[in-house]
Amino acid sequence: MSDVILPPLFGRPLRQVHLLGAGGMGMVPLGLYLVQRGFKVSAEDDSWNPATRALLEQAGVELTAANGRPAGTDLVVFSPAVAHTHPARALATVQGIEQVRRGEMLAEITRDRKLVAVVGSHGKTTTTAMLITALQQSGFDCGWVLGGLFSDHALPPARDAAEWLVAEVDESDGTIGLFAPEITLTVNLDWDHADHYAKPGDLEKEFAALFARTKQAVFMSDACVLSRTLLSEFPPHASVITFGVIGDYQCAHSEESAAEIELKLGGRFALSRARVRARGEFNAHNAVAALAVAQHLGAAITPDSLAAFSGVRRRQTLLYSSSTLAIFEDYAHH
């Protein structure tokens, strides 16, 4: 690790980073990514999930007891779920150790990469995972930081690469304002996280500002009225590219079987059809978005780019199935 050139973070050289609430779905991939970038990472959580704990341990993250932050820690990164009154944060404050939110750290560590930011209210994690899968299937070299875990662990939740990086960017705490992506993929917009955005207009301003900071292209759903409104009222410098039934990248029809969706594609797509290992109209829309961005990046997508998509844990995870009953686990803030 001594030969690794670490990027300066927050205006100064850092080596030792400690994660609080490290077992959360957003924190685990970030921890893995930091290790791959060459940082020494330690972590603690009040209630570990065995699967996420194992991922961090296998990557070389030092897991500590409560308030067990190693000596020499340069920076504490905390999950939004960890309040300022938490003993570990209170101790860091007393000791004068800088503390940043998870989103702040993600924005800072990705500044030296060409960022594809997947944003919006519903479907970010699945769409991000689909985009990662399609790029990997095509052999397109990129890194990523997912906000969850792939269901079959065929792909890790984080990977570093030299140029492009795909990341799920969360708007819940306002840290989205720190990102300036090369490409922004907006799955949809809805007034969510009302604890942070007291009025719909507050959230709309946040996304309009993100579009304005986007350097190359903003992808938006042709079915999202709010996205269309914002982009017409506040035209970004970047190109605006649509996906959907009548978008630049079109999905005219989708047919669903027991195990997959078949998409009939048109518009700018180089393909006429694509298979997606997922279920439901919403996932069909997510897949169209992912394939559109993958093709835009120059990936050689094929009809089978998403045929082996493993899905994301807690996103329509099938727990039980019989001839009369199917039980799914799904996740949403609501």
Side-chain angles (χ1 to χ4, degrees):
M1 184 174 292
S2 60
D3 296 330
V4 176
I5 299 175
L6 298 174
L9 297 177
F10 305 102
R12 60 192 177 99
L14 303 174
R15 177 168 292 278
Q16 173 79 48
V17 178
H18 186 68
L19 308 180
L20 292 179
M25 286 297 99
M27 294 291 283
V28 171
L30 178 61
L32 298 177
Y33 185 70
L34 288 170
V35 169
Q36 292 180 44
R37 292 297 301 267
F39 290 90
K40 188 175 181 181
V41 181
S42 57
E44 66 178 276
D45 198 294
D46 292 338
S47 180
W48 284 105
N49 175 291
T52 55
R53 180 183 180 119
L55 277 174
L56 292 171
E57 283 184 315
Q58 290 163 10
V61 175
E62 178 187 354
L63 304 187
T64 72
N67 298 324
R69 184 181 64 251
T73 295
D74 298 305
L75 183 73
V76 169
V77 182
F78 60 90
S79 161
V82 180
H84 71 278
T85 54
H86 190 281
R89 287 196 59 193
L91 180 61
T93 299
V94 170
Q95 295 177 338
I97 298 175
E98 185 177 3
Q99 303 173 54
V100 298
R101 293 170 288 178
R102 182 256 182 197
E104 291 176 278
M105 186 62 172
L106 180 61
E108 187 73 10
I109 193 62
T110 58
R111 289 191 194 283
D112 59 350
R113 299 292 188 262
K114 290 184 177 179
L115 177 64
V116 180
V118 182
V119 304
S121 301
H122 315 291
K124 288 189 297 293
T125 307
T126 299
T127 304
T128 305
M130 286 180 170
L131 176 55
I132 292 165
T133 300
L135 292 173
Q136 285 295 286
Q137 287 291 322
S138 75
F140 185 90
D141 188 30
C142 69
W144 63 81
V145 180
L146 185 63
L149 303 178
F150 285 93
S151 292
D152 63 359
H153 301 293
L155 292 172
R159 176 183 183 268
D160 183 36
E163 186 177 20
W164 285 97
L165 183 121
V166 177
E168 176 183 348
V169 174
D170 178 30
E171 78 281 7
S172 64
D173 61 358
T175 53
I176 192 173
L178 302 173
F179 292 85
E182 197 77 19
I183 294 172
T184 297
L185 167 54
T186 313
V187 289
N188 48 63
L189 293 180
D190 184 22
W191 181 31
D192 198 358
H193 305 292
D195 57 335
H196 185 80
Y197 302 101
K199 298 175 292 186
D202 296 336
L203 180 137
E204 292 164 16
K205 289 177 184 177
E206 193 79 271
F207 277 97
L210 176 70
F211 298 153
R213 293 191 303 273
T214 301
K215 300 166 189 172
Q216 185 187 126
V218 176
F219 280 75
M220 72 159 205
S221 166
D222 65 9
C224 180
V225 175
L226 183 52
S227 295
R228 292 202 308 268
T229 301
L230 287 181
L231 288 166
S232 62
E233 292 181 354
F234 307 99
H237 299 295
S239 300
V240 176
I241 301 172
T242 57
F243 59 89
V245 176
I246 57 172
D248 297 311
Y249 288 88
Q250 297 175 5
C251 177
H253 181 67
S254 62
E255 296 180 0
E256 185 174 348
S257 67
E260 67 178 24
I261 309 165
E262 183 167 331
L263 307 175
K264 183 179 179 181
L265 304 175
R268 296 186 188 178
F269 273 119
L271 306 174
S272 60
R273 291 187 175 271
R275 297 165 52 225
V276 186
R277 187 181 167 193
R279 304 172 76 163
E281 183 179 347
F282 189 74
N283 275 329
H285 196 70
N286 291 339
V288 172
L291 291 171
V293 174
Q295 181 177 308
H296 178 83
L297 286 170
I301 59 172
T302 72
D304 291 332
S305 290
L306 292 176
F309 174 60
S310 69
V312 180
R313 285 185 58 189
R314 301 187 68 196
R315 303 315 195 270
Q316 295 189 359
T317 301
L318 180 61
L319 300 179
Y320 173 81
S321 179
S322 72
S323 59
T324 57
L325 178 66
I327 300 175
F328 291 87
E329 180 185 19
D330 207 358
Y331 170 86
H333 289 289
H334 300 82

